[in-house]
Amino acid sequence: MTSLIGSLIIGGIAGWLAGLIRRGEGFGILVNILIGIAGGFIGGIIFGLLGIDNADTNWIGSLVISTIGAVVLLFIVNLFAGNKKA
């Protein structure tokens, strides 16, 4: 249960940070949490493809990986949404 709560907190922070990095392209707290969680999954795939093992990261490493993944996800969403800021 604490792992789920921790994932939600890290996901929320990662989604919020990604919205700030992409200059206000967040979608609100609930969607930001979902984007952050999905970003954690995408970030894990990206870092895995680069040969970086993310299984033993602490919460800061998880936050960085999730934020990078969420930024990538926001970029992709904005490409498909037709947003000119992508």
Side-chain angles (χ1 to χ4, degrees), residues 5-7 11-12 15-16 20-21 23-24 37-38 44 47 49 57 60 63 66 69 71 75 83:
I5 293 171
S7 294
W16 173 70
L20 290 178
I21 291 170
R23 293 186 209 114
I37 292 169
F47 279 82
L49 290 173
T57 59
I60 295 173
L63 181 61
S66 296
V71 167
F75 178 78
N83 192 345

mmCIF file of all heavy atoms in Angstrom, residues 5-7 11-12 15-16 20-21 23-24 37-38 44 47 49 57 60 63 66 69 71 75 83:
data_model
loop_
_atom_site.group_PDB
_atom_site.id
_atom_site.type_symbol
_atom_site.label_atom_id
_atom_site.label_comp_id
_atom_site.label_asym_id
_atom_site.label_seq_id
_atom_site.Cartn_x
_atom_site.Cartn_y
_atom_site.Cartn_z
ATOM 1 N N ILE A 5 0.994 4.455 -2.743
ATOM 2 C CA ILE A 5 0.914 5.863 -2.347
ATOM 3 C C ILE A 5 2.175 6.610 -2.778
ATOM 4 O O ILE A 5 2.101 7.719 -3.297
ATOM 5 C CB ILE A 5 0.677 5.988 -0.830
ATOM 6 C CG1 ILE A 5 -0.708 5.443 -0.481
ATOM 7 C CG2 ILE A 5 0.808 7.439 -0.364
ATOM 8 C CD1 ILE A 5 -0.973 5.312 0.993
ATOM 9 N N GLY A 6 3.324 5.982 -2.601
ATOM 10 C CA GLY A 6 4.580 6.591 -3.041
ATOM 11 C C GLY A 6 4.606 6.801 -4.539
ATOM 12 O O GLY A 6 5.064 7.842 -5.022
ATOM 13 N N SER A 7 4.108 5.822 -5.293
ATOM 14 C CA SER A 7 4.056 5.962 -6.752
ATOM 15 C C SER A 7 3.134 7.098 -7.163
ATOM 16 O O SER A 7 3.441 7.844 -8.097
ATOM 17 C CB SER A 7 3.568 4.660 -7.393
ATOM 18 O OG SER A 7 4.493 3.633 -7.194
ATOM 19 N N GLY A 11 4.453 10.223 -9.027
ATOM 20 C CA GLY A 11 3.796 10.482 -10.307
ATOM 21 C C GLY A 11 3.206 11.875 -10.376
ATOM 22 O O GLY A 11 3.322 12.558 -11.397
ATOM 23 N N GLY A 12 2.567 12.303 -9.298
ATOM 24 C CA GLY A 12 1.993 13.647 -9.270
ATOM 25 C C GLY A 12 3.046 14.730 -9.378
ATOM 26 O O GLY A 12 2.900 15.687 -10.137
ATOM 27 N N GLY A 15 4.515 14.620 -12.953
ATOM 28 C CA GLY A 15 3.600 15.227 -13.917
ATOM 29 C C GLY A 15 3.563 16.741 -13.794
ATOM 30 O O GLY A 15 3.533 17.457 -14.796
ATOM 31 N N TRP A 16 3.582 17.230 -12.555
ATOM 32 C CA TRP A 16 3.594 18.679 -12.329
ATOM 33 C C TRP A 16 4.883 19.294 -12.869
ATOM 34 O O TRP A 16 4.864 20.319 -13.559
ATOM 35 C CB TRP A 16 3.438 18.949 -10.835
ATOM 36 C CG TRP A 16 3.608 20.384 -10.458
ATOM 37 C CD1 TRP A 16 2.756 21.409 -10.731
ATOM 38 C CD2 TRP A 16 4.704 20.929 -9.734
ATOM 39 N NE1 TRP A 16 3.270 22.576 -10.201
ATOM 40 C CE2 TRP A 16 4.457 22.317 -9.590
ATOM 41 C CE3 TRP A 16 5.862 20.404 -9.186
ATOM 42 C CZ2 TRP A 16 5.330 23.151 -8.934
ATOM 43 C CZ3 TRP A 16 6.723 21.244 -8.522
ATOM 44 C CH2 TRP A 16 6.460 22.597 -8.412
ATOM 45 N N LEU A 20 5.578 22.031 -15.928
ATOM 46 C CA LEU A 20 6.393 23.247 -15.802
ATOM 47 C C LEU A 20 7.505 23.281 -16.843
ATOM 48 O O LEU A 20 7.777 24.325 -17.438
ATOM 49 C CB LEU A 20 7.006 23.329 -14.405
ATOM 50 C CG LEU A 20 6.062 23.607 -13.245
ATOM 51 C CD1 LEU A 20 6.836 23.593 -11.928
ATOM 52 C CD2 LEU A 20 5.361 24.932 -13.430
ATOM 53 N N ILE A 21 8.153 22.148 -17.046
ATOM 54 C CA ILE A 21 9.245 22.079 -18.022
ATOM 55 C C ILE A 21 8.724 22.355 -19.425
ATOM 56 O O ILE A 21 9.369 23.056 -20.208
ATOM 57 C CB ILE A 21 9.951 20.701 -17.947
ATOM 58 C CG1 ILE A 21 10.700 20.592 -16.622
ATOM 59 C CG2 ILE A 21 10.879 20.491 -19.134
ATOM 60 C CD1 ILE A 21 11.229 19.198 -16.316
ATOM 61 N N ARG A 23 6.414 24.240 -20.171
ATOM 62 C CA ARG A 23 5.847 25.588 -20.090
ATOM 63 C C ARG A 23 4.326 25.609 -20.047
ATOM 64 O O ARG A 23 3.664 26.069 -20.974
ATOM 65 C CB ARG A 23 6.344 26.432 -21.256
ATOM 66 C CG ARG A 23 7.817 26.680 -21.145
ATOM 67 C CD ARG A 23 8.292 27.635 -22.226
ATOM 68 N NE ARG A 23 9.672 27.308 -22.503
ATOM 69 C CZ ARG A 23 10.126 26.821 -23.637
ATOM 70 N NH1 ARG A 23 9.314 26.642 -24.642
ATOM 71 N NH2 ARG A 23 11.389 26.531 -23.798
ATOM 72 N N GLY A 24 3.794 25.091 -18.960
ATOM 73 C CA GLY A 24 2.366 25.198 -18.725
ATOM 74 C C GLY A 24 1.503 24.229 -19.497
ATOM 75 O O GLY A 24 0.328 24.477 -19.681
ATOM 76 N N ILE A 37 2.730 8.880 -13.777
ATOM 77 C CA ILE A 37 2.833 7.422 -13.648
ATOM 78 C C ILE A 37 3.175 6.799 -14.992
ATOM 79 O O ILE A 37 4.057 5.938 -15.090
ATOM 80 C CB ILE A 37 1.529 6.846 -13.060
ATOM 81 C CG1 ILE A 37 1.374 7.305 -11.604
ATOM 82 C CG2 ILE A 37 1.508 5.331 -13.155
ATOM 83 C CD1 ILE A 37 0.023 7.017 -11.011
ATOM 84 N N ALA A 38 2.478 7.232 -16.041
ATOM 85 C CA ALA A 38 2.808 6.736 -17.381
ATOM 86 C C ALA A 38 4.222 7.158 -17.765
ATOM 87 O O ALA A 38 4.946 6.406 -18.419
ATOM 88 C CB ALA A 38 1.804 7.265 -18.402
ATOM 89 N N GLY A 44 11.259 4.420 -17.696
ATOM 90 C CA GLY A 44 11.900 3.126 -17.443
ATOM 91 C C GLY A 44 12.291 2.433 -18.731
ATOM 92 O O GLY A 44 13.371 1.840 -18.834
ATOM 93 N N PHE A 47 15.308 4.503 -20.294
ATOM 94 C CA PHE A 47 16.566 4.250 -19.594
ATOM 95 C C PHE A 47 17.016 2.808 -19.771
ATOM 96 O O PHE A 47 18.203 2.526 -19.814
ATOM 97 C CB PHE A 47 16.445 4.625 -18.115
ATOM 98 C CG PHE A 47 16.597 6.090 -17.864
ATOM 99 C CD1 PHE A 47 15.532 6.957 -18.026
ATOM 100 C CD2 PHE A 47 17.818 6.624 -17.477
ATOM 101 C CE1 PHE A 47 15.666 8.312 -17.812
ATOM 102 C CE2 PHE A 47 17.967 7.975 -17.250
ATOM 103 C CZ PHE A 47 16.888 8.831 -17.421
ATOM 104 N N LEU A 49 16.514 1.003 -22.496
ATOM 105 C CA LEU A 49 17.092 0.930 -23.838
ATOM 106 C C LEU A 49 18.493 1.535 -23.892
ATOM 107 O O LEU A 49 19.318 1.135 -24.705
ATOM 108 C CB LEU A 49 16.184 1.638 -24.847
ATOM 109 C CG LEU A 49 14.852 0.949 -25.152
ATOM 110 C CD1 LEU A 49 13.984 1.844 -26.034
ATOM 111 C CD2 LEU A 49 15.076 -0.400 -25.811
ATOM 112 N N THR A 57 16.883 2.347 -8.001
ATOM 113 C CA THR A 57 16.960 3.785 -7.771
ATOM 114 C C THR A 57 16.202 4.157 -6.500
ATOM 115 O O THR A 57 15.273 3.489 -6.091
ATOM 116 C CB THR A 57 16.364 4.567 -8.956
ATOM 117 O OG1 THR A 57 15.007 4.167 -9.132
ATOM 118 C CG2 THR A 57 17.140 4.331 -10.223
ATOM 119 N N ILE A 60 14.541 9.847 -5.494
ATOM 120 C CA ILE A 60 15.001 10.942 -6.356
ATOM 121 C C ILE A 60 15.231 10.425 -7.774
ATOM 122 O O ILE A 60 14.826 11.054 -8.751
ATOM 123 C CB ILE A 60 16.279 11.597 -5.785
ATOM 124 C CG1 ILE A 60 15.955 12.276 -4.455
ATOM 125 C CG2 ILE A 60 16.858 12.608 -6.769
ATOM 126 C CD1 ILE A 60 17.168 12.818 -3.725
ATOM 127 N N LEU A 63 11.948 9.873 -9.373
ATOM 128 C CA LEU A 63 11.357 11.150 -9.752
ATOM 129 C C LEU A 63 11.966 11.678 -11.050
ATOM 130 O O LEU A 63 11.257 12.145 -11.936
ATOM 131 C CB LEU A 63 11.511 12.170 -8.620
ATOM 132 C CG LEU A 63 10.910 13.546 -8.866
ATOM 133 C CD1 LEU A 63 9.402 13.452 -9.079
ATOM 134 C CD2 LEU A 63 11.223 14.462 -7.699
ATOM 135 N N SER A 66 10.768 9.424 -13.931
ATOM 136 C CA SER A 66 9.354 9.688 -14.204
ATOM 137 C C SER A 66 9.151 11.040 -14.870
ATOM 138 O O SER A 66 8.330 11.177 -15.771
ATOM 139 C CB SER A 66 8.546 9.631 -12.909
ATOM 140 O OG SER A 66 8.568 8.348 -12.366
ATOM 141 N N GLY A 69 10.276 10.835 -18.497
ATOM 142 C CA GLY A 69 9.258 10.110 -19.242
ATOM 143 C C GLY A 69 7.995 10.929 -19.446
ATOM 144 O O GLY A 69 7.383 10.894 -20.511
ATOM 145 N N VAL A 71 7.799 14.230 -19.577
ATOM 146 C CA VAL A 71 8.102 15.278 -20.563
ATOM 147 C C VAL A 71 7.995 14.698 -21.968
ATOM 148 O O VAL A 71 7.404 15.315 -22.869
ATOM 149 C CB VAL A 71 9.499 15.896 -20.311
ATOM 150 C CG1 VAL A 71 9.947 16.745 -21.488
ATOM 151 C CG2 VAL A 71 9.495 16.718 -19.035
ATOM 152 N N PHE A 75 5.242 15.765 -24.826
ATOM 153 C CA PHE A 75 5.682 16.128 -26.174
ATOM 154 C C PHE A 75 4.885 15.347 -27.209
ATOM 155 O O PHE A 75 4.378 15.906 -28.179
ATOM 156 C CB PHE A 75 7.187 15.868 -26.322
ATOM 157 C CG PHE A 75 7.713 16.178 -27.687
ATOM 158 C CD1 PHE A 75 7.951 17.485 -28.072
ATOM 159 C CD2 PHE A 75 7.963 15.166 -28.595
ATOM 160 C CE1 PHE A 75 8.432 17.776 -29.337
ATOM 161 C CE2 PHE A 75 8.447 15.442 -29.854
ATOM 162 C CZ PHE A 75 8.679 16.751 -30.225
ATOM 163 N N ASN A 83 -0.806 20.759 -31.364
ATOM 164 C CA ASN A 83 -0.328 21.965 -30.700
ATOM 165 C C ASN A 83 0.965 22.417 -31.364
ATOM 166 O O ASN A 83 1.866 21.639 -31.589
ATOM 167 C CB ASN A 83 -0.088 21.665 -29.210
ATOM 168 C CG ASN A 83 0.123 22.907 -28.400
ATOM 169 O OD1 ASN A 83 0.369 23.984 -28.956
ATOM 170 N ND2 ASN A 83 0.016 22.781 -27.103
#
